[in-house]
Amino acid sequence: MDFYALKFLATSNLTGETYVGYMFGKKAQTPYFNVLLLARAQLKEVNLPDITKDYLDFKSDIDMLYYQLSKEKNNNLISQFKAYFYSTLKKMKSEVTGTKIFMAIEDEDVYVLKSILSDILSEWAGDTKIRLVAQKFDYKDLTWITAVKEKGEEGLKEYLSREDVKDATEIYPIIDPIEGYSVSKLDIGEPIIVLPMENKDEDEKNTRKVIEGKIISKELIPSSDYIFLKVDLGNGALGKAVVHRELKVSVDQNRLQILRKSQEKDENENETKIIGDLYNQMKKDKSMPTDKKISSLDILIISGFSIIGILLIILIVILLGSF
């Protein structure tokens, strides 16, 4: 187990409000979450997301409903509740809470999970009735397995079996849902932290070592939201993966920023060089007229003709006026 997802539905015995949402994370990490508050009157107008759905489907339902409700006028309560949820997690030391949730799900301890949620909600809602469903995830569950489940195994698996990558190692990018970068925003040549899966048997546990690779190819799979990645793992080894384009993956952000600034500097230098080369080429081209310096004598001649022209115009105007 590398990650957890906790879906919950709670009702306040004091106010009758309903709270529904999810928490997602890993051990010793602040949980990523989204939560909704629904008054009794609103329950008749909306369909509550089903907590028995798969986490990714449930998350999509919650996020969409939150977006719709937050756009409504005079509905500040939903954002206030989310702010309360965040500040309460912070007071409870969110990384510690994330670890408690992780261990409770790992141990399948429903009572501990309900106790944690009850503590979070208590200051706002008082006593609550809570229903929850927890899911366990490995890295692969949020990359390749998610892809084959949504689009059909044969449609995407063929990318991993292609002739150009048949000997490559299947990898799983390390996920960071809070501070990570979307795969779609990473460019060719940029670093990405991955987990090579040397053992092809999904059920057999083996020693796994996280390494940093470099993206050497990105292909958007047609009619899907998935990307096929080729990654340089170093020492001549090649990695391959199918991942969702918006999957947030872990990267060395300092290295990434240094690399991007270096590339930007190189591009500017190349642009300056190209402009300089064009100028030199124009100077060497004999078909182009050469620049001539204007001497002081040229200036006097031009000035003289200008003065004579002006005097002639004045004289003509005077003569015409006399007639």
Side-chain angles (χ1 to χ4, degrees), residues 101-115:
I101 294 172
F102 181 93
M103 295 177 68
I105 291 175
E106 194 171 42
D107 296 337
E108 299 181 357
D109 195 331
V110 176
Y111 295 106
V112 170
L113 292 173
K114 285 188 175 182
S115 175

Side-chain angles (χ1 to χ4, degrees), residues 166-233:
K166 67 177 183 179
D167 296 325
T169 301
E170 192 171 345
I171 57 173
Y172 301 116
I174 300 303
I175 301 161
D176 187 343
I178 297 172
E179 297 180 350
Y181 271 68
S182 296
V183 173
S184 59
K185 293 181 181 178
L186 291 174
D187 293 327
I188 305 300
E190 292 187 334
I192 183 171
I193 299 172
V194 299
L195 181 71
M197 302 300 290
E198 300 293 347
N199 193 335
K200 301 297 181 182
D201 185 352
E202 292 183 2
D203 296 324
E204 186 175 339
K205 296 291 182 182
N206 61 319
T207 303
R208 302 180 294 177
K209 184 180 178 182
V210 172
I211 63 172
E212 184 176 86
K214 184 185 292 184
I215 297 174
I216 57 176
S217 175
K218 280 174 62 180
E219 297 177 41
L220 181 60
I221 298 175
S223 302
S224 80
D225 291 321
Y226 290 88
I227 290 175
F228 174 58
L229 290 178
K230 291 183 192 176
V231 177
D232 180 0
L233 303 178

Side-chain angles (χ1 to χ4, degrees), residues 258-274:
I258 291 169
L259 181 63
R260 288 186 173 178
K261 285 180 181 178
S262 175
Q263 288 173 342
E264 190 176 324
K265 183 180 177 183
D266 290 343
E267 286 172 5
N268 291 337
E269 287 178 353
N270 287 336
E271 185 178 348
T272 304
K273 185 175 183 297
I274 289 168

Side-chain angles (χ1 to χ4, degrees), residues 74-88:
N74 303 319
N75 197 8
N76 295 326
L77 204 58
I78 189 170
S79 55
Q80 290 174 13
F81 177 66
K82 190 171 183 178
Y84 159 80
F85 201 95
Y86 170 78
S87 62
T88 303

Side-chain angles (χ1 to χ4, degrees), residues 291-304:
D291 294 336
K292 294 182 178 179
K293 291 184 179 179
I294 299 177
S295 65
S296 57
L297 180 62
D298 292 334
I299 293 171
L300 287 173
I301 293 170
I302 292 168
S303 301

